[in-house]
Amino acid sequence: MIVGTAGHIDHGKTALVKALTGTDADRLAEEKARGITIDLGFAYADLGGGAVTGFVDVPGHERLIHTMLAGAGGIDLALLVVACDDGVMPQTREHLAILDLLGLPRGLIALTKADLADDARRAEVTAQIRKTLAGSELADAPILPVSTVTGEGIEALRAALLAAEADTTARAALGPFRLAVDRSFTLQGAGTVVTGTVLTGRIAVGDAVTVSPSGITARVRAIHAQNRPATEGLAGQRCALNLAGEDVTKDALHRGDIVLSPALHAPTARIDARLTVLAGEPKPIGTWFPARLHSHATEVGARIVPLSDPIAPGEAGPVQIVLDRPIAAAIGDRFILRDVSASRTIGGGRFLDLRPP
């Protein structure tokens, strides 16, 4: 199971992951110095059931929503974090809207910093959360008070995560392989490594792959699956792939690339989709509407063309998306649209046709 955090800045997402796994997911010196999460962080732990659960820790700052989106794709369960002292905040609402648009139906709500609140304040924030969740996919998600200072609720949260892990259905490993790249780096003595979530299929050491949309060909030299050495990686796992090839370098591989079976390499810059517009948008989405499109870890400029009437706030309809550059996509992939100034989420939906007229 892969768990993704969500929630406002300084509500204790990283501290909670550390309490559950023993790993500090903030790995950058700047994150340590500033005391905030800037990039995606990763941690792994056996919660007690014998399997390894992966955690993707995302930043909560409003200017880093694009980074949160890079980590939200491919998770099995959302861990939405709300602090007792602040209650529901702007990025709580935006992260929740994004999880809803991504179609994620499973989640837990951690009521953090519970040591700072009496029973009355806890009840007040719980009611506020329930009101915020109403009508969303997570409307009935359990709300668990926790404190990383006193340890209150940590074992209860661990038990809830373990129960969710037991209910997680293994993703089908049949069919072509796709991995959404969220990190690329060079490892001394090994070479270029990419990490990401396996979206579909399986991969084995020695397999040939293509990095899309660039078209770079590579061979898999080694695999880590759920942070452990492995001979193969499966759909639903976080994997690190050590890649070898003539054009394979750290600078040639980027967050947003898709490593896939060679037969799937067919980048597209024009996609038909169904778009749902958030109810808070100030006006309908009309022809040639400019936006930033996010799908898995990909971010690209886009223009939206409704294929019928303009799509009003709170409504949904068919659109054609014209991208600034080709991306690697698949039918059924979820996407999020944000405004060009990256200040708000507009809506999202699902890809329907990758080769439309």
Side-chain angles (χ1 to χ4, degrees):
M1 180 173 74
I2 301 174
V3 178
T5 64
H8 199 79
I9 186 172
D10 199 32
H11 277 201
K13 297 184 292 299
T14 303
L16 189 57
V17 170
K18 185 175 182 179
L20 290 166
T21 68
T23 299
D24 185 352
D26 280 349
R27 53 191 167 78
L28 303 178
E30 186 179 356
E31 290 176 318
K32 304 289 189 185
R34 297 175 61 185
I36 64 171
T37 299
I38 297 170
D39 203 355
L40 299 177
F42 307 99
Y44 302 86
D46 179 349
L47 297 175
V52 177
T53 295
F55 289 81
V56 181
D57 185 36
V58 307
H61 196 284
E62 62 180 336
R63 295 182 182 176
L64 297 172
I65 292 290
H66 64 287
T67 305
M68 178 270 179
L69 283 162
I75 65 174
D76 297 300
L77 181 133
L79 181 57
L80 182 64
V81 175
V82 182
C84 277
D85 52 351
D86 284 342
V88 173
M89 297 288 281
Q91 265 54 66
T92 312
R93 299 181 188 279
E94 186 167 15
H95 283 200
L96 178 62
I98 288 168
L99 295 173
D100 231 29
L101 291 168
L102 291 174
L104 189 67
R106 303 172 65 214
L108 296 169
I109 317 301
L111 190 58
T112 54
K113 304 185 183 182
D115 55 291
L116 301 180
D118 58 18
D119 289 344
R121 177 58 180 169
R122 293 186 187 192
E124 179 185 357
V125 177
T126 298
Q128 187 185 50
I129 293 171
R130 280 288 170 223
K131 183 177 180 181
T132 303
L133 295 177
S136 75
E137 293 278 2
L138 302 183
D140 299 321
I143 301 175
L144 303 172
V146 296
S147 169
T148 58
V149 175
T150 66
E152 177 192 350
I154 297 298
E155 289 309 312
L157 177 57
R158 192 189 308 276
L161 288 167
L162 189 57
E165 182 179 72
D167 291 338
T168 300
T169 304
R171 300 185 203 177
L174 301 175
F177 171 76
R178 296 174 72 221
L179 176 142
V181 176
D182 51 40
R183 199 156 58 111
S184 170
F185 56 92
T186 300
L187 197 61
Q188 187 173 3
T192 300
V193 176
V194 297
T195 70
T197 300
V198 181
L199 305 173
T200 57
R202 69 173 67 218
I203 191 71
V205 173
D207 283 356
V209 293
T210 299
V211 181
S212 195
S214 64
I216 292 172
T217 59
R219 178 178 59 84
V220 180
R221 295 176 57 185
I223 299 172
H224 271 62
Q226 297 292 85
N227 207 37
R228 294 180 177 178
T231 57
E232 67 174 9
L234 306 175
Q237 294 180 327
R238 279 201 54 81
C239 285
L241 305 182
N242 179 198
L243 300 180
E246 183 178 352
D247 298 318
V248 174
T249 64
K250 174 184 177 294
D251 293 335
L253 307 180
H254 309 282
R255 173 177 287 176
D257 287 342
I258 304 286
V259 178
L260 41 69
S261 300
L264 290 185
H265 175 57
T268 179
R270 186 183 299 268
I271 303 172
D272 278 0
R274 182 167 181 82
L275 170 65
T276 297
V277 179
L278 292 178
E281 270 302 286
K283 59 183 180 180
I285 304 301
T287 298
W288 215 238
F289 183 91
R292 301 293 297 176
L293 179 138
H294 300 259
S295 180
H296 298 298
T298 299
E299 180 184 359
V300 61
R303 293 283 184 166
I304 311 304
V305 182
L307 297 177
S308 183
D309 296 329
I311 304 175
E315 301 295 327
V319 297
Q320 184 161 109
I321 303 171
V322 182
L323 303 173
D324 289 353
R325 57 175 174 80
I327 65 170
I331 291 173
D333 279 358
R334 295 276 186 167
F335 68 92
I336 298 293
L337 290 183
R338 304 196 77 227
D339 72 309
V340 292
S341 64
S343 63
R344 72 183 192 280
T345 298
I346 295 168
R350 190 187 293 270
F351 296 149
L352 302 177
D353 187 350
L354 307 180
R355 300 288 180 272

